[in-house]
Amino acid sequence: MQKIEIIKADITTLKVDAIVNAANSSLMGGGGVDGAIHRAAGPQLLEECRTLNGAKTGEAKITKGYNLPAKFIIHAVGPVWYGGHKNEEELLKNCYLNSLKLAIENKIKTIAFPSISTGAYRFPFDRAAKIAYKTVLDFLDLHPDIEKVFLVVFSDSDLEQFSRVIQK
Ligand code: AR6
């Protein structure tokens, strides 16, 4: 069975142990997938987020899932794309790695990632997809405890682009 699956879905509907949020460093909500997660989880999420004191780019922090089907939310702060000369690729990789480390620490077996930084933060989709896929693949090699990782996209064109990237 393939441990990594690329799917098109609204991440807030997935019944997994944890979903990852593409947050900003305030961790206090926003637009895009962040807004959708806060709406679906309910106002208690913001209350818990207030206690976290934000996070730096590349870092991740965990909360409960509240009204979501997912038990936990891992809030990762992706880099804004400035053209590729501000360490954006490494910072995006760190988002995936730090989220996966939190998953291990919390005995999470199934986790779903959105395509971090590829919306409002303008990271080129194909580069981001390559980093996401490779980072998860390498991590799973070393950490067989994680059973399933969904890489979630939100449009047919992103799904097609992702499939092309991983065939290379
Ligand atoms: N399910 C799955 N994927 C989604 C969903 C959803 N419900 N909604 C959007 N996407 P973005 P970023 C996809 O902009 O680029 C926020 O305001 C979307 O198509 O949500 O990391 C935060 O507060 C895109 O591919 O996140 C930050 O300020 C991907 O999720 C900032 O935006 C990420 O797009 C973060 O920007």
Side-chain angles (χ1 to χ4, degrees), residues 27 31 46 60 64 80-81 85 104 106 115-116 124-125 136 144 149:
L27 300 183
L46 192 59
K64 288 187 268 186
V80 176
W81 179 260
H85 304 291
I104 296 284
N106 289 278
S115 189
I116 299 168
F125 187 86
V136 171
V149 178

Side-chain angles (χ1 to χ4, degrees), residues 13-125:
T13 65
L14 299 180
K15 198 170 176 342
V16 284
D17 293 339
I19 64 168
V20 177
N21 182 16
N24 59 63
S25 54
S26 78
L27 300 183
M28 293 293 286
V33 71
D34 194 2
I37 288 172
H38 274 267
R39 278 192 298 279
Q44 284 175 294
L45 174 59
L46 192 59
E47 273 175 47
E48 186 175 357
C49 284
R50 270 186 229 289
T51 68
L52 299 176
N53 293 317
K56 294 196 188 98
T57 305
E59 287 183 350
K61 292 193 177 174
I62 191 164
T63 66
K64 288 187 268 186
Y66 299 100
N67 297 336
L68 292 177
K71 199 167 163 204
F72 295 103
I73 305 164
I74 294 172
H75 305 263
V77 183
V80 176
W81 179 260
Y82 290 110
H85 304 291
K86 292 207 164 188
N87 210 24
E88 293 97 323
E89 297 202 320
E90 191 69 26
L91 290 166
L92 185 63
K93 182 178 174 182
N94 289 345
C95 286
Y96 286 89
L97 277 181
N98 287 324
S99 298
L100 290 163
K101 283 181 193 158
L102 277 177
I104 296 284
E105 283 165 29
N106 289 278
K107 305 202 179 334
I108 286 161
K109 305 243 179 249
T110 57
I111 181 168
F113 285 91
S115 189
I116 299 168
S117 284
T118 65
Y121 284 177
R122 304 182 314 270
F123 205 107
F125 187 86

